[in-house]
Amino acid sequence: MRMPLIAGNWKMHLTLHEAVELAKAVAAAAEQYSDREVLLYPTFLQFTRVQEAVSGTKVLLGAQNCSAEKDGAFTGEISAAQLRDAGAQYVLIGHSERRHILGEKDDFLKKKIDRVLEQNLKPMLCVGETLSEREAGRAKEVVLNQLLAALQHLHENEWRQITIAYEPVWAIGTGKNATPEDAQRMHSTIRSKISALCPSVAHTVRILYGGSVKPDNIAALMAMPDIDGVLVGGASLKAESFIAILRDAVV
Ligand code: PEP
């Protein structure tokens, strides 16, 4: 049995005050649910204050990105070691905005996965096809190539730290979500590939869906056998919608 994970990616949104208030509201609501995990990804700058706000609650915290380097002269970067020091548990790697807007490539993302694992943090690898790749019938090929490039070198104990987020790029922030059946097909394909790479973890690695998740589609998504949770962008920025998603994320 995989524990559902409901994650909020706050991207470059919210003031410090808004972030702290939202975190407190989510933490208060999360206490009711012992059968699901809640994870927030604030900005680096807000991380410590958000952490203080959720300290002692069940809310987990992650960083939206980290450096591919261990440490040194990399102005503006933040290392996985610094994230661990600050109290992060998860690190988001390869979000489509980083792949497609900031130009991060597979080999660079693989290095980040290694940096995160070296610090005993949990990488959440985002994979997903663009609309043109989907229309060309290449969605599975693209997603599996992203998965292989970042993860195929891992050992079993490293695989146990991994979470995957399948986020079709055309569904992120657009209001168009994949149908639950479409998402399930891709999640099942991903799980089969994990099974081929590391059979012992295929039934424990969590695969989240992301892309315009809202209170009105969460129940249908969570009803799918290989959807183990969701990564929520826009709807995670308001307590009301994120808490409604959390409430209805019933397996
Ligand atoms: C995301 O940012 O990972 C995301 C899925 O965004 P949204 O929920 O707004 O589509």
Side-chain angles (χ1 to χ4, degrees):
M1 174 71 179
R2 297 178 292 271
M3 174 81 90
L5 175 58
I6 310 305
N9 173 16
W10 291 353
K11 310 191 188 193
M12 201 172 69
H13 294 295
L14 305 175
T15 64
L16 181 55
H17 178 73
E18 287 166 346
V20 167
E21 292 306 306
L22 178 55
K24 283 184 189 164
V26 170
E31 291 310 308
Q32 300 171 56
Y33 306 109
S34 57
D35 58 349
R36 59 207 89 161
E37 291 183 346
V38 186
L39 167 63
L40 299 176
Y41 288 107
T43 65
F44 291 134
L45 205 54
Q46 296 167 349
F47 191 93
T48 302
R49 289 285 299 281
V50 169
Q51 192 200 35
E52 286 163 6
V54 301
S55 166
T57 74
K58 62 173 288 181
V59 171
L60 305 166
L61 285 187
Q64 296 176 16
N65 181 34
C66 82
S67 173
E69 304 296 333
K70 286 189 187 182
D71 68 352
F74 298 99
T75 301
E77 289 289 271
I78 293 182
S79 70
Q82 290 170 324
L83 293 175
R84 192 187 59 164
D85 193 33
Q89 290 136 302
Y90 282 78
V91 184
L92 204 54
I93 301 290
H95 189 278
S96 73
E97 288 146 19
R98 300 208 65 89
R99 288 181 189 266
H100 298 291
I101 302 174
L102 297 162
E104 296 191 358
K105 300 278 180 273
D106 285 330
D107 52 347
F108 187 58
L109 299 174
K110 172 176 178 272
K111 281 178 75 178
K112 293 189 182 200
I113 293 277
D114 290 341
R115 295 295 81 79
V116 172
L117 288 169
E118 279 162 11
Q119 296 301 323
N120 293 318
L121 299 176
K122 296 176 191 295
M124 181 179 286
L125 177 72
C126 299
V127 293
E129 80 285 0
T130 62
L131 185 58
S132 60
E133 288 163 343
R134 187 178 186 84
E135 286 173 349
R138 297 184 50 233
K140 280 187 186 175
E141 172 200 334
V142 168
V143 165
L144 294 182
N145 283 344
Q146 290 172 345
L147 186 85
L148 287 169
L151 305 178
Q152 72 175 334
H153 64 295
L154 299 186
H155 299 296
E156 182 184 336
N157 59 334
E158 295 168 322
W159 267 108
R160 294 197 182 282
Q161 306 308 312
I162 298 291
T163 304
I164 312 282
Y166 168 57
E167 299 205 302
V169 179
W170 48 271
I172 297 180
T174 59
K176 295 182 201 158
N177 63 303
T179 65
E181 294 74 19
D182 259 352
Q184 165 58 27
R185 269 190 287 279
M186 187 63 87
H187 282 227
S188 164
T189 301
I190 292 170
R191 198 173 302 288
S192 299
K193 181 55 77 180
I194 297 172
S195 181
L197 292 168
C198 187
S200 57
V201 303
H203 292 287
T204 57
V205 170
R206 288 186 290 195
I207 307 174
L208 311 190
Y209 169 78
S212 298
V213 175
K214 302 263 175 337
D216 62 8
N217 57 26
I218 182 68
L221 288 163
M222 293 303 292
M224 297 292 129
D226 287 296
I227 298 184
D228 305 318
V230 284
L231 178 56
V232 187
S236 72
L237 297 172
K238 292 260 182 295
E240 194 187 356
S241 48
F242 192 64
I243 290 168
I245 289 170
L246 181 59
R247 180 195 63 214
D248 293 344
V250 179
V251 185

